PDB file of all heavy atoms in Angstrom:
ATOM      1  N   ALA A 278     -16.716  -5.731 -10.239  1.00  0.00           N
ATOM      2  CA  ALA A 278     -15.512  -6.368  -9.752  1.00  0.00           C
ATOM      3  C   ALA A 278     -15.152  -5.860  -8.347  1.00  0.00           C
ATOM      4  O   ALA A 278     -14.832  -6.632  -7.419  1.00  0.00           O
ATOM      5  CB  ALA A 278     -14.335  -6.177 -10.683  1.00  0.00           C
ATOM      6  N   PHE A 279     -15.259  -4.543  -8.220  1.00  0.00           N
ATOM      7  CA  PHE A 279     -14.960  -3.911  -6.942  1.00  0.00           C
ATOM      8  C   PHE A 279     -15.865  -4.443  -5.855  1.00  0.00           C
ATOM      9  O   PHE A 279     -15.490  -4.752  -4.723  1.00  0.00           O
ATOM     10  CB  PHE A 279     -15.101  -2.393  -7.082  1.00  0.00           C
ATOM     11  CG  PHE A 279     -13.883  -1.649  -6.633  1.00  0.00           C
ATOM     12  CD1 PHE A 279     -12.689  -1.898  -7.236  1.00  0.00           C
ATOM     13  CD2 PHE A 279     -13.991  -0.752  -5.607  1.00  0.00           C
ATOM     14  CE1 PHE A 279     -11.558  -1.211  -6.789  1.00  0.00           C
ATOM     15  CE2 PHE A 279     -12.918  -0.050  -5.231  1.00  0.00           C
ATOM     16  CZ  PHE A 279     -11.700  -0.293  -5.812  1.00  0.00           C
ATOM     17  N   ALA A 280     -17.202  -4.437  -6.192  1.00  0.00           N
ATOM     18  CA  ALA A 280     -18.140  -4.853  -5.161  1.00  0.00           C
ATOM     19  C   ALA A 280     -17.988  -6.294  -4.736  1.00  0.00           C
ATOM     20  O   ALA A 280     -17.991  -6.646  -3.608  1.00  0.00           O
ATOM     21  CB  ALA A 280     -19.571  -4.592  -5.694  1.00  0.00           C
ATOM     22  N   ILE A 281     -17.778  -7.221  -5.729  1.00  0.00           N
ATOM     23  CA  ILE A 281     -17.619  -8.608  -5.490  1.00  0.00           C
ATOM     24  C   ILE A 281     -16.336  -8.858  -4.693  1.00  0.00           C
ATOM     25  O   ILE A 281     -16.309  -9.592  -3.684  1.00  0.00           O
ATOM     26  CB  ILE A 281     -17.659  -9.356  -6.772  1.00  0.00           C
ATOM     27  CG1 ILE A 281     -19.091  -9.335  -7.329  1.00  0.00           C
ATOM     28  CG2 ILE A 281     -17.229 -10.832  -6.502  1.00  0.00           C
ATOM     29  CD1 ILE A 281     -19.172  -9.866  -8.765  1.00  0.00           C
ATOM     30  N   GLY A 282     -15.258  -8.137  -5.138  1.00  0.00           N
ATOM     31  CA  GLY A 282     -14.017  -8.293  -4.442  1.00  0.00           C
ATOM     32  C   GLY A 282     -14.129  -7.840  -2.968  1.00  0.00           C
ATOM     33  O   GLY A 282     -13.690  -8.492  -2.022  1.00  0.00           O
ATOM     34  N   ALA A 283     -14.931  -6.715  -2.774  1.00  0.00           N
ATOM     35  CA  ALA A 283     -15.074  -6.144  -1.454  1.00  0.00           C
ATOM     36  C   ALA A 283     -15.851  -7.151  -0.572  1.00  0.00           C
ATOM     37  O   ALA A 283     -15.486  -7.363   0.590  1.00  0.00           O
ATOM     38  CB  ALA A 283     -15.809  -4.841  -1.558  1.00  0.00           C
ATOM     39  N   ALA A 284     -16.893  -7.720  -1.133  1.00  0.00           N
ATOM     40  CA  ALA A 284     -17.673  -8.691  -0.370  1.00  0.00           C
ATOM     41  C   ALA A 284     -16.843  -9.866   0.104  1.00  0.00           C
ATOM     42  O   ALA A 284     -16.928 -10.324   1.245  1.00  0.00           O
ATOM     43  CB  ALA A 284     -18.830  -9.177  -1.161  1.00  0.00           C
ATOM     44  N   LEU A 285     -15.954 -10.380  -0.736  1.00  0.00           N
ATOM     45  CA  LEU A 285     -15.087 -11.478  -0.331  1.00  0.00           C
ATOM     46  C   LEU A 285     -14.144 -11.027   0.734  1.00  0.00           C
ATOM     47  O   LEU A 285     -13.852 -11.783   1.703  1.00  0.00           O
ATOM     48  CB  LEU A 285     -14.302 -12.002  -1.562  1.00  0.00           C
ATOM     49  CG  LEU A 285     -15.167 -12.895  -2.480  1.00  0.00           C
ATOM     50  CD1 LEU A 285     -14.444 -13.188  -3.717  1.00  0.00           C
ATOM     51  CD2 LEU A 285     -15.556 -14.190  -1.734  1.00  0.00           C
ATOM     52  N   GLY A 286     -13.580  -9.798   0.592  1.00  0.00           N
ATOM     53  CA  GLY A 286     -12.710  -9.281   1.648  1.00  0.00           C
ATOM     54  C   GLY A 286     -13.501  -9.206   2.959  1.00  0.00           C
ATOM     55  O   GLY A 286     -12.948  -9.524   4.023  1.00  0.00           O
ATOM     56  N   GLY A 287     -14.781  -8.749   2.906  1.00  0.00           N
ATOM     57  CA  GLY A 287     -15.525  -8.635   4.120  1.00  0.00           C
ATOM     58  C   GLY A 287     -15.774  -9.959   4.765  1.00  0.00           C
ATOM     59  O   GLY A 287     -15.697 -10.133   5.976  1.00  0.00           O
ATOM     60  N   LEU A 288     -16.042 -10.983   3.936  1.00  0.00           N
ATOM     61  CA  LEU A 288     -16.256 -12.344   4.418  1.00  0.00           C
ATOM     62  C   LEU A 288     -14.996 -12.859   5.157  1.00  0.00           C
ATOM     63  O   LEU A 288     -15.114 -13.407   6.252  1.00  0.00           O
ATOM     64  CB  LEU A 288     -16.591 -13.235   3.244  1.00  0.00           C
ATOM     65  CG  LEU A 288     -17.414 -14.469   3.546  1.00  0.00           C
ATOM     66  CD1 LEU A 288     -18.725 -14.123   4.170  1.00  0.00           C
ATOM     67  CD2 LEU A 288     -17.635 -15.250   2.258  1.00  0.00           C
ATOM     68  N   SER A 289     -13.820 -12.628   4.576  1.00  0.00           N
ATOM     69  CA  SER A 289     -12.644 -13.026   5.329  1.00  0.00           C
ATOM     70  C   SER A 289     -12.414 -12.305   6.565  1.00  0.00           C
ATOM     71  O   SER A 289     -11.994 -12.882   7.562  1.00  0.00           O
ATOM     72  CB  SER A 289     -11.458 -12.994   4.384  1.00  0.00           C
ATOM     73  OG  SER A 289     -11.608 -12.112   3.318  1.00  0.00           O
ATOM     74  N   GLY A 290     -12.730 -10.968   6.560  1.00  0.00           N
ATOM     75  CA  GLY A 290     -12.647 -10.195   7.798  1.00  0.00           C
ATOM     76  C   GLY A 290     -13.539 -10.780   8.873  1.00  0.00           C
ATOM     77  O   GLY A 290     -13.172 -10.827  10.052  1.00  0.00           O
ATOM     78  N   LEU A 291     -14.777 -11.134   8.466  1.00  0.00           N
ATOM     79  CA  LEU A 291     -15.729 -11.734   9.343  1.00  0.00           C
ATOM     80  C   LEU A 291     -15.178 -12.972  10.058  1.00  0.00           C
ATOM     81  O   LEU A 291     -15.236 -13.186  11.303  1.00  0.00           O
ATOM     82  CB  LEU A 291     -16.987 -12.039   8.594  1.00  0.00           C
ATOM     83  CG  LEU A 291     -18.003 -12.911   9.299  1.00  0.00           C
ATOM     84  CD1 LEU A 291     -19.114 -12.036   9.968  1.00  0.00           C
ATOM     85  CD2 LEU A 291     -18.684 -13.833   8.294  1.00  0.00           C
ATOM     86  N   LEU A 292     -14.606 -13.868   9.226  1.00  0.00           N
ATOM     87  CA  LEU A 292     -14.074 -15.080   9.755  1.00  0.00           C
ATOM     88  C   LEU A 292     -12.925 -14.821  10.794  1.00  0.00           C
ATOM     89  O   LEU A 292     -12.842 -15.424  11.877  1.00  0.00           O
ATOM     90  CB  LEU A 292     -13.508 -15.990   8.627  1.00  0.00           C
ATOM     91  CG  LEU A 292     -14.524 -16.764   7.848  1.00  0.00           C
ATOM     92  CD1 LEU A 292     -13.838 -17.385   6.608  1.00  0.00           C
ATOM     93  CD2 LEU A 292     -15.145 -17.834   8.670  1.00  0.00           C
ATOM     94  N   PHE A 293     -12.050 -13.904  10.314  1.00  0.00           N
ATOM     95  CA  PHE A 293     -10.940 -13.514  11.180  1.00  0.00           C
ATOM     96  C   PHE A 293     -11.406 -13.011  12.519  1.00  0.00           C
ATOM     97  O   PHE A 293     -10.928 -13.476  13.578  1.00  0.00           O
ATOM     98  CB  PHE A 293     -10.163 -12.441  10.434  1.00  0.00           C
ATOM     99  CG  PHE A 293      -9.056 -11.847  11.172  1.00  0.00           C
ATOM    100  CD1 PHE A 293      -7.773 -12.410  11.219  1.00  0.00           C
ATOM    101  CD2 PHE A 293      -9.197 -10.619  11.829  1.00  0.00           C
ATOM    102  CE1 PHE A 293      -6.715 -11.939  11.899  1.00  0.00           C
ATOM    103  CE2 PHE A 293      -8.169 -10.041  12.513  1.00  0.00           C
ATOM    104  CZ  PHE A 293      -6.929 -10.718  12.497  1.00  0.00           C
ATOM    105  N   ALA A 294     -12.364 -12.068  12.527  1.00  0.00           N
ATOM    106  CA  ALA A 294     -12.857 -11.469  13.765  1.00  0.00           C
ATOM    107  C   ALA A 294     -13.494 -12.517  14.675  1.00  0.00           C
ATOM    108  O   ALA A 294     -13.297 -12.525  15.836  1.00  0.00           O
ATOM    109  CB  ALA A 294     -13.790 -10.332  13.470  1.00  0.00           C
ATOM    110  N   SER A 295     -14.312 -13.432  13.994  1.00  0.00           N
ATOM    111  CA  SER A 295     -15.067 -14.392  14.829  1.00  0.00           C
ATOM    112  C   SER A 295     -14.106 -15.391  15.493  1.00  0.00           C
ATOM    113  O   SER A 295     -14.217 -15.758  16.643  1.00  0.00           O
ATOM    114  CB  SER A 295     -15.978 -15.195  13.919  1.00  0.00           C
ATOM    115  OG  SER A 295     -16.936 -14.353  13.444  1.00  0.00           O
ATOM    116  N   ARG A 296     -13.086 -15.823  14.726  1.00  0.00           N
ATOM    117  CA  ARG A 296     -12.133 -16.775  15.240  1.00  0.00           C
ATOM    118  C   ARG A 296     -11.367 -16.225  16.472  1.00  0.00           C
ATOM    119  O   ARG A 296     -11.206 -16.854  17.444  1.00  0.00           O
ATOM    120  CB  ARG A 296     -11.215 -17.226  14.126  1.00  0.00           C
ATOM    121  CG  ARG A 296      -9.796 -17.619  14.557  1.00  0.00           C
ATOM    122  CD  ARG A 296      -9.795 -19.048  15.116  1.00  0.00           C
ATOM    123  NE  ARG A 296      -8.397 -19.439  15.501  1.00  0.00           N
ATOM    124  CZ  ARG A 296      -7.881 -19.312  16.655  1.00  0.00           C
ATOM    125  NH1 ARG A 296      -8.546 -18.839  17.649  1.00  0.00           N
ATOM    126  NH2 ARG A 296      -6.631 -19.707  16.860  1.00  0.00           N
ATOM    127  N   TYR A 297     -10.912 -14.997  16.318  1.00  0.00           N
ATOM    128  CA  TYR A 297     -10.056 -14.486  17.383  1.00  0.00           C
ATOM    129  C   TYR A 297     -10.828 -13.758  18.441  1.00  0.00           C
ATOM    130  O   TYR A 297     -10.328 -13.452  19.467  1.00  0.00           O
ATOM    131  CB  TYR A 297      -8.958 -13.541  16.810  1.00  0.00           C
ATOM    132  CG  TYR A 297      -7.930 -14.316  16.080  1.00  0.00           C
ATOM    133  CD1 TYR A 297      -7.996 -14.358  14.654  1.00  0.00           C
ATOM    134  CD2 TYR A 297      -6.962 -14.997  16.685  1.00  0.00           C
ATOM    135  CE1 TYR A 297      -7.123 -15.124  13.924  1.00  0.00           C
ATOM    136  CE2 TYR A 297      -6.023 -15.811  15.995  1.00  0.00           C
ATOM    137  CZ  TYR A 297      -6.138 -15.844  14.662  1.00  0.00           C
ATOM    138  OH  TYR A 297      -5.212 -16.597  13.982  1.00  0.00           O
ATOM    139  N   ALA A 298     -12.183 -13.540  18.157  1.00  0.00           N
ATOM    140  CA  ALA A 298     -13.062 -12.932  19.116  1.00  0.00           C
ATOM    141  C   ALA A 298     -12.681 -11.558  19.590  1.00  0.00           C
ATOM    142  O   ALA A 298     -13.248 -10.993  20.529  1.00  0.00           O
ATOM    143  CB  ALA A 298     -13.273 -13.840  20.338  1.00  0.00           C
ATOM    144  N   PHE A 299     -11.626 -11.004  18.985  1.00  0.00           N
ATOM    145  CA  PHE A 299     -11.234  -9.666  19.399  1.00  0.00           C
ATOM    146  C   PHE A 299     -10.544  -8.954  18.200  1.00  0.00           C
ATOM    147  O   PHE A 299      -9.839  -9.558  17.452  1.00  0.00           O
ATOM    148  CB  PHE A 299     -10.118  -9.761  20.495  1.00  0.00           C
ATOM    149  CG  PHE A 299      -9.532  -8.441  20.846  1.00  0.00           C
ATOM    150  CD1 PHE A 299     -10.176  -7.545  21.697  1.00  0.00           C
ATOM    151  CD2 PHE A 299      -8.294  -8.106  20.373  1.00  0.00           C
ATOM    152  CE1 PHE A 299      -9.660  -6.308  21.978  1.00  0.00           C
ATOM    153  CE2 PHE A 299      -7.775  -6.841  20.685  1.00  0.00           C
ATOM    154  CZ  PHE A 299      -8.433  -5.957  21.505  1.00  0.00           C
ATOM    155  N   ILE A 300     -10.925  -7.712  18.040  1.00  0.00           N
ATOM    156  CA  ILE A 300     -10.274  -6.888  16.986  1.00  0.00           C
ATOM    157  C   ILE A 300      -9.971  -5.460  17.570  1.00  0.00           C
ATOM    158  O   ILE A 300     -10.654  -5.024  18.457  1.00  0.00           O
ATOM    159  CB  ILE A 300     -11.219  -6.683  15.790  1.00  0.00           C
ATOM    160  CG1 ILE A 300     -12.643  -6.326  16.161  1.00  0.00           C
ATOM    161  CG2 ILE A 300     -11.189  -7.901  14.920  1.00  0.00           C
ATOM    162  CD1 ILE A 300     -13.539  -5.981  14.990  1.00  0.00           C
ATOM    163  N   ASP A 301      -8.896  -4.912  17.065  1.00  0.00           N
ATOM    164  CA  ASP A 301      -8.629  -3.520  17.330  1.00  0.00           C
ATOM    165  C   ASP A 301      -7.996  -2.885  16.117  1.00  0.00           C
ATOM    166  O   ASP A 301      -7.541  -3.621  15.216  1.00  0.00           O
ATOM    167  CB  ASP A 301      -7.776  -3.364  18.582  1.00  0.00           C
ATOM    168  CG  ASP A 301      -6.289  -3.733  18.378  1.00  0.00           C
ATOM    169  OD1 ASP A 301      -5.678  -3.051  17.633  1.00  0.00           O
ATOM    170  OD2 ASP A 301      -5.866  -4.775  18.952  1.00  0.00           O
ATOM    171  N   PRO A 302      -7.957  -1.563  16.022  1.00  0.00           N
ATOM    172  CA  PRO A 302      -7.620  -0.952  14.715  1.00  0.00           C
ATOM    173  C   PRO A 302      -6.215  -1.265  14.308  1.00  0.00           C
ATOM    174  O   PRO A 302      -5.934  -1.243  13.077  1.00  0.00           O
ATOM    175  CB  PRO A 302      -7.769   0.532  15.037  1.00  0.00           C
ATOM    176  CG  PRO A 302      -8.663   0.652  16.190  1.00  0.00           C
ATOM    177  CD  PRO A 302      -8.491  -0.595  17.006  1.00  0.00           C
TER     178      PRO A 302
END
Side-chain angles (χ1 to χ4, degrees):
Chain A
F279 232 60
I281 290 169
L285 283 170
L288 204 57
S289 21
L291 167 96
L292 282 171
F293 174 84
S295 297
R296 149 79 176 95
Y297 291 100
F299 174 77
I300 47 173
D301 74 68

